[in-house]
Coordinates of all heavy atoms in Angstrom, one line a residue:
I130 N 54.9 150.4 98.7 CA 55.0 150.7 100.1 C 54.1 152.0 100.5 O 53.5 151.9 101.6 CB 56.5 151.0 100.5 CG1 57.4 149.8 100.3 CG2 56.6 151.5 101.9 CD1 58.8 150.0 100.4
A131 N 54.1 153.0 99.7 CA 53.3 154.1 99.9 C 51.8 153.7 100.0 O 51.1 154.1 100.9 CB 53.5 155.1 98.8
K133 N 50.6 150.9 100.9 CA 50.3 150.1 102.1 C 50.2 151.0 103.4 O 49.5 150.6 104.3 CB 51.5 149.1 102.3 CG 51.5 147.9 101.4 CD 52.7 147.0 101.6 CE 52.7 145.8 100.6 NZ 53.8 144.9 100.8
H134 N 50.9 152.1 103.3 CA 50.9 153.1 104.4 C 49.9 154.2 104.2 O 49.9 155.1 105.0 CB 52.3 153.5 104.8 CG 53.2 152.6 105.3 ND1 53.3 152.3 106.7 CD2 54.1 151.7 104.7 CE1 54.3 151.3 106.8 NE2 54.7 151.0 105.7
N135 N 49.2 154.1 103.2 CA 48.3 155.2 102.8 C 49.1 156.6 102.8 O 48.7 157.5 103.4 CB 47.1 155.4 103.7 CG 46.1 156.3 103.2 OD1 45.9 156.5 102.0 ND2 45.3 156.9 104.2
A136 N 50.3 156.6 102.2 CA 51.2 157.7 102.2 C 51.6 158.0 100.7 O 51.1 157.4 99.7 CB 52.4 157.4 103.0
S137 N 52.4 159.0 100.7 CA 53.0 159.4 99.3 C 54.3 158.8 99.1 O 55.0 158.4 100.1 CB 53.0 161.0 99.2 OG 54.0 161.5 100.2
M138 N 54.8 158.7 97.9 CA 56.1 158.2 97.6 C 57.2 159.1 98.4 O 58.2 158.6 98.8 CB 56.3 158.2 96.1 CG 55.4 157.1 95.4 SD 55.6 157.2 93.6 CE 57.4 156.9 93.4
A139 N 56.9 160.4 98.4 CA 57.9 161.3 99.0 C 58.0 160.9 100.5 O 59.2 160.9 101.1 CB 57.4 162.7 98.9
Q140 N 56.9 160.7 101.2 CA 57.0 160.2 102.6 C 57.8 158.9 102.7 O 58.6 158.9 103.7 CB 55.5 160.0 103.1 CG 54.8 161.3 103.4 CD 53.4 161.0 103.9 OE1 53.2 160.0 104.7 NE2 52.4 161.8 103.5
V141 N 57.7 158.1 101.8 CA 58.5 156.8 102.0 C 60.0 157.1 101.8 O 60.8 156.6 102.5 CB 58.0 155.8 100.8 CG1 58.9 154.5 100.9 CG2 56.6 155.4 101.0
A142 N 60.3 157.9 100.9 CA 61.6 158.3 100.6 C 62.3 159.0 101.8 O 63.4 158.8 102.2 CB 61.8 159.2 99.3
L143 N 61.5 159.9 102.4 CA 62.0 160.6 103.7 C 62.1 159.7 104.8 O 63.1 159.7 105.6 CB 61.0 161.7 104.0 CG 60.9 162.9 103.0 CD1 59.8 163.8 103.4 CD2 62.2 163.6 102.8
N144 N 61.2 158.7 104.9 CA 61.3 157.8 106.1 C 62.4 156.8 105.9 O 62.9 156.2 106.9 CB 59.9 157.1 106.2 CG 59.0 157.9 107.2 OD1 59.5 158.7 108.0 ND2 57.7 157.7 107.0
W145 N 62.7 156.5 104.6 CA 63.9 155.7 104.3 C 65.1 156.4 104.9 O 66.0 155.7 105.5 CB 64.0 155.4 102.8 CG 65.2 154.7 102.5 CD1 65.4 153.4 102.5 CD2 66.4 155.3 102.1 NE1 66.8 153.1 102.2 CE2 67.4 154.2 101.9 CE3 66.8 156.7 101.9 CZ2 68.8 154.5 101.5 CZ3 68.2 156.9 101.4 CH2 69.2 155.8 101.3
R147 N 65.2 158.5 107.4 CA 65.2 158.5 108.8 C 65.5 157.1 109.3 O 66.1 157.0 110.4 CB 63.7 158.9 109.3 CG 63.4 160.3 109.0 CD 61.9 160.7 109.3 NE 61.7 160.3 110.8 CZ 60.6 159.5 111.1 NH1 59.7 159.0 110.3 NH2 60.4 159.3 112.4
D165 N 52.6 167.4 103.7 CA 52.9 165.9 103.3 C 54.3 165.6 104.0 O 54.5 164.4 104.5 CB 53.1 165.8 101.9 CG 53.3 164.4 101.4 OD1 52.4 163.6 101.6 OD2 54.4 164.1 100.9
L167 N 55.5 166.7 106.9 CA 55.2 166.6 108.3 C 54.5 165.3 108.6 O 54.8 164.7 109.6 CB 54.5 167.8 108.9 CG 55.2 169.2 108.9 CD1 54.3 170.2 109.3 CD2 56.4 169.1 109.9
T168 N 53.7 164.8 107.7 CA 53.0 163.7 108.0 C 53.9 162.4 107.9 O 53.6 161.4 108.5 CB 51.9 163.5 106.9 OG1 51.0 164.6 106.9 CG2 51.1 162.2 107.1
A169 N 55.1 162.6 107.3 CA 56.0 161.4 107.3 C 56.5 161.2 108.7 O 57.0 160.0 108.9 CB 57.1 161.8 106.3
L170 N 56.4 162.1 109.6 CA 56.9 161.9 110.9 C 55.9 161.0 111.7 O 56.2 160.5 112.9 CB 57.1 163.2 111.6 CG 58.2 164.1 111.1 CD1 58.1 165.5 111.8 CD2 59.5 163.5 111.1
D171 N 54.6 160.7 111.1 CA 53.7 160.0 111.9 C 53.8 158.5 111.9 O 53.1 157.7 112.4 CB 52.3 160.4 111.5 CG 52.0 161.9 111.8 OD1 52.6 162.4 112.8 OD2 51.1 162.5 111.1
W172 N 54.7 158.0 110.9 CA 54.8 156.5 110.8 C 56.3 156.2 110.3 O 57.1 157.1 110.0 CB 53.9 156.1 109.7 CG 54.1 156.6 108.4 CD1 53.6 157.8 107.8 CD2 54.8 156.0 107.3 NE1 53.9 158.0 106.6 CE2 54.7 156.9 106.1 CE3 55.4 154.8 107.1 CZ2 55.3 156.6 105.0 CZ3 56.1 154.5 105.9 CH2 56.0 155.4 104.8
D173 N 56.6 155.0 110.4 CA 57.9 154.5 110.2 C 57.9 153.2 109.2 O 56.9 152.5 109.2 CB 58.7 154.1 111.4 CG 58.9 155.1 112.4 OD1 59.5 156.2 112.0 OD2 58.3 155.1 113.5
L174 N 59.0 153.1 108.4 CA 59.1 151.9 107.6 C 59.3 150.6 108.4 O 59.9 150.7 109.5 CB 60.3 152.0 106.6 CG 60.2 153.1 105.5 CD1 61.5 153.1 104.8 CD2 59.0 152.7 104.5
F175 N 58.8 149.5 108.0 CA 59.2 148.2 108.5 C 60.5 147.9 108.1 O 61.0 148.3 107.0 CB 58.1 147.2 108.1 CG 56.8 147.3 108.7 CD1 55.7 147.6 107.8 CD2 56.5 147.3 110.1 CE1 54.4 147.9 108.3 CE2 55.3 147.5 110.6 CZ 54.2 147.7 109.8
E178 N 60.9 146.6 104.6 CA 60.7 147.5 103.5 C 61.9 148.4 103.4 O 62.3 148.7 102.2 CB 59.5 148.5 104.0 CG 58.1 147.8 104.0 CD 57.1 148.7 104.6 OE1 57.4 149.6 105.5 OE2 55.9 148.4 104.3

Side-chain angles (χ1 to χ4, degrees):
I130 295 172
K133 290 180 180 178
H134 291 274
N135 192 27
S137 67
M138 290 171 62
Q140 288 182 34
V141 177
L143 294 176
N144 275 333
W145 173 84
R147 293 176 56 230
D165 189 65
L167 290 174
T168 303
L170 298 174
D171 294 337
W172 62 277
D173 299 299
L174 289 174
F175 294 114
E178 293 173 332

